[in-house]
Amino acid sequence: MNNAFNNLVIFNGYPLAIVVAVTMHAGLLMLLLYLQSGNRVEALELVQPTVVKALFIDENPQVRNQRVIEQRRIQREQEQRQAAEAQRRREEQQAEQARRDAAEQARQEQARQEEARAEAQRQAALREQELRDQRRAEELRQQREQEVRDAEQRRQQELAEAERRRQREEAERARQAEAEAAAAAEAARNEFELVQSATGLIQQLVQEHWSRPPSARNGMRAIIQIRMLPTGEVTEAIITQSSGDPAFDRSAENAVHRAAPFSELQDLPINVFNANFRSLSLIFEPQDLLN
Amino acid sequence: MNELSPIQLILDASFEVKIVMIILLALSVISWVIIVQRYLVLNAAKSGVRSFEERFWSGMDLSQLYKEGTQMQKEDIQIVGMENIFRAGFKEFMRLRQQASVDKEAIMEGAQRAMRVAFAREEEKLERHLPFLATVGSVSPYIGLFGTVIGIMYAFIGLAGQSQATLQVVAPGIAEALIATAMGLFAAIPAVVAYNRYSALLDAITSSYVTFSDEFSSILHRQVHSN
């Protein structure tokens, strides 16, 4: 009757007890690990709500600015291309004109030579000096021909020179365009940084002053358009898109008014301010509520 | 740290909190060892009481019962609880009776004394380690709380260095600290439950021992005075 227990209670039951206790703890630990690995995503969502209280779109000044800059660049390139085209056409016309002029001249010259030769032959036939005359005429002719050849050569040289000049100018223009583009990019980057930091600042200030009503729910979305002076004062805040909850809209509006003035905007260059902050849209969208 | 799980929290805990957690884990393991071991011992004692009482009141001759016990001892079967009390009292009774010079009252007294001693031994065997369970039950919540306080202290020290105190900054530290309390409670609850259960069982068993030794001494008393 007691045998079963007597066998269990060998060494007063300590070995069995130790095995049971250690196994139990190990099992519990495994269970915990298993549950954790299974529920990871859900647990993450529960424990870590997103930090973002308010989102900003500020009708995206960055994108707008980049678009404008891009457009300007394209326009400038087109203008440059057109100018280069016109230049090339003009040069071609000039070269053509020069060629035509030279041909005309040569033709006239030839006609004159023919005349002279005929005259000389007539004279030679008529007079005894004709030989001398003819020789002189011949010399003259040769000289003329030489001159024509020289003219031709000069013309070619001029053409080559023009071509070289054109190439040089083109290279110069390309270099200038490149430098301009680099400068524009640098300016855009600086502006981007300025805008970024100012936007972050406004966002932080508004978030700090935003106290949401109890009726606020995740997924609500109110857009408020504000107009600012370069001093950072808010002159106007209009609700452009209502969340559907008047209390929520009012809280967003109040947040803007309480956070104003954004005196840090005074440090911005006036052109940056005008381009980005004169009118700004703020999106209020709670995402960290637990309901 | 983008993932918050208890395991991650334990691994990321500060040194002091880790020490506390290790202590609590050890206490929990030891208390469970004791819980299981006491369960076996007390259950063996309880079933020993039942089976021995059955045999004792079956009308069997007492010397026959004693001889059976001796046989069991020879076979290396452990004799538990009530039978030990019976054997001690009966042995003393028989020895004293064989000596002619001893009077009846002295025989009874000797037998009762021997049973008292055996009873004390048995009770001591059953009671062993139970105070440890009581200690774990009452102290481990405090140890866990200590770990929590240390952890929260570090969380706030870390918070002092932050310019902006958000819930996200404090939360991991506090969660980490609370793990220690959870572990303290995890160790304490089974220990307290087991302690209460086992002391009730122990009371029942010892009272049945007392009852038995009284009944047995009344039987011996009858035998002494019958002749």
Side-chain angles (χ1 to χ4, degrees), chain A residues 23-84:
Chain A
T23 313
M24 193 203 81
H25 282 84
L28 275 176
L29 213 62
M30 290 294 150
L31 192 71
L32 193 66
L33 273 173
Y34 173 73
L35 289 180
Q36 281 313 312
S37 65
N39 290 348
R40 184 164 298 149
V41 176
E42 199 181 15
L44 198 70
E45 277 172 1
L46 270 180
V47 175
Q48 281 212 317
T50 20
V51 199
V52 186
K53 279 203 242 167
L55 279 182
F56 278 71
I57 35 158
D58 41 49
E59 47 189 72
N60 224 332
Q62 279 326 307
V63 171
R64 198 184 55 200
N65 281 0
Q66 271 167 3
R67 209 167 49 228
V68 168
I69 288 169
E70 184 71 9
Q71 272 173 357
R72 270 191 214 139
R73 197 174 59 76
I74 289 170
Q75 209 175 349
R76 210 162 46 230
E77 270 178 6
Q78 265 173 356
E79 275 168 11
Q80 279 174 358
R81 234 190 346 265
Q82 278 168 0

Side-chain angles (χ1 to χ4, degrees), chain A residues 1-3 5-6 8-22 24-25 28-29 32-33 36-37 40 43-44 47-51 204 207-208 288, chain B residues 1-7 10 25 28-30 32-34 36-41 43-44 47-48 50-51 54 72 77-80 83 128-129 164 166 168 186:
Chain A
M1 173 109 196
N2 270 348
N3 278 3
F5 264 113
N6 278 334
L8 275 180
V9 183
I10 187 165
F11 299 119
N12 284 328
Y14 282 113
L16 180 71
I18 289 171
V19 168
V20 168
V22 170
M24 193 203 81
H25 282 84
L28 275 176
L29 213 62
L32 193 66
L33 273 173
Q36 281 313 312
S37 65
R40 184 164 298 149
L44 198 70
V47 175
Q48 281 212 317
T50 20
V51 199
Q204 195 189 338
Q207 274 180 17
E208 276 172 17
D288 56 340
Chain B
M1 93 179 263
N2 42 19
E3 189 192 335
L4 274 180
S5 72
I7 305 294
I10 290 169
L25 189 67
S28 176
V29 170
I30 294 171
W32 271 97
V33 167
I34 289 167
V36 174
Q37 194 263 342
R38 281 298 98 182
Y39 175 80
L40 295 175
V41 168
N43 254 334
S47 72
R50 241 198 337 266
S51 71
E54 235 168 58
M72 274 162 74
I77 294 171
Q78 222 176 353
I79 289 171
V80 286
E83 197 166 357
R128 191 177 299 154
H129 299 318
Q164 211 184 9
T166 61
Q168 277 75 26
F186 175 77

Side-chain angles (χ1 to χ4, degrees), chain B residues 75-92:
Chain B
E75 285 170 14
D76 249 4
I77 294 171
Q78 222 176 353
I79 289 171
V80 286
M82 201 180 268
E83 197 166 357
N84 271 335
I85 297 173
F86 161 73
R87 286 174 64 79
F90 193 71
K91 201 174 169 183
E92 190 66 23

Side-chain angles (χ1 to χ4, degrees), chain A residues 270-285:
Chain A
I270 189 70
N271 60 335
V272 175
F273 176 85
N274 280 337
N276 298 297
F277 293 109
R278 187 151 295 276
S279 144
L280 196 67
S281 285
L282 308 180
I283 296 185
F284 288 80
E285 194 175 60

Side-chain angles (χ1 to χ4, degrees), chain B:
Chain B
M1 93 179 263
N2 42 19
E3 189 192 335
L4 274 180
S5 72
I7 305 294
Q8 200 57 43
L9 285 178
I10 290 169
L11 293 180
D12 287 344
S14 64
F15 178 70
E16 290 87 340
V17 177
K18 267 185 191 155
I19 295 269
V20 167
M21 284 175 184
I22 288 168
I23 291 173
L24 286 173
L25 189 67
L27 282 182
S28 176
V29 170
I30 294 171
S31 71
W32 271 97
V33 167
I34 289 167
I35 287 169
V36 174
Q37 194 263 342
R38 281 298 98 182
Y39 175 80
L40 295 175
V41 168
L42 288 174
N43 254 334
K46 201 172 134 196
S47 72
V49 167
R50 241 198 337 266
S51 71
F52 181 73
E53 273 188 334
E54 235 168 58
R55 279 195 294 156
F56 186 78
W57 298 113
S58 67
M60 193 193 278
D61 185 31
L62 291 185
S63 53
Q64 180 64 29
L65 199 59
Y66 184 81
K67 270 179 207 147
E68 265 183 21
T70 318
Q71 187 61 31
M72 274 162 74
Q73 258 179 342
K74 272 183 197 152
E75 285 170 14
D76 249 4
I77 294 171
Q78 222 176 353
I79 289 171
V80 286
M82 201 180 268
E83 197 166 357
N84 271 335
I85 297 173
F86 161 73
R87 286 174 64 79
F90 193 71
K91 201 174 169 183
E92 190 66 23
F93 177 74
M94 292 309 274
R95 264 195 209 144
L96 289 173
R97 254 185 99 175
Q98 276 159 13
Q99 294 171 12
S101 57
V102 184
D103 67 356
K104 289 172 181 175
E105 287 309 311
I107 291 173
M108 278 312 297
E109 225 162 80
Q112 275 171 350
R113 199 184 308 113
M115 282 198 288
R116 260 204 312 281
V117 170
F119 169 74
R121 287 227 179 88
E122 286 303 312
E123 196 181 26
E124 191 196 314
K125 263 195 232 166
L126 293 178
E127 267 180 351
R128 191 177 299 154
H129 299 318
L130 279 187
F132 182 83
L133 281 186
T135 310
V136 168
S138 57
V139 162
S140 64
Y142 292 125
I143 300 179
L145 201 60
F146 173 71
T148 296
V149 168
I150 296 263
I152 289 183
M153 202 177 83
Y154 279 117
F156 279 118
I157 287 174
L159 195 60
Q162 298 275 339
S163 60
Q164 211 184 9
T166 61
L167 195 59
Q168 277 75 26
V169 180
V170 210
I174 291 178
E176 170 197 309
L178 287 178
I179 293 253
T181 303
M183 288 181 73
L185 293 178
F186 175 77
I189 291 169
V192 171
V193 170
Y195 178 74
N196 288 336
R197 168 106 185 82
Y198 290 166
S199 39
L201 198 56
L202 181 75
D203 276 351
I205 292 170
T206 47
S207 72
S208 75
Y209 285 178
V210 170
T211 315
F212 170 76
S213 52
D214 282 350
E215 283 169 340
F216 183 48
S217 58
S218 75
I219 289 171
L220 292 180
H221 193 264
R222 214 161 41 235
Q223 268 196 14
V224 167
H225 290 283
S226 64
N227 42 16

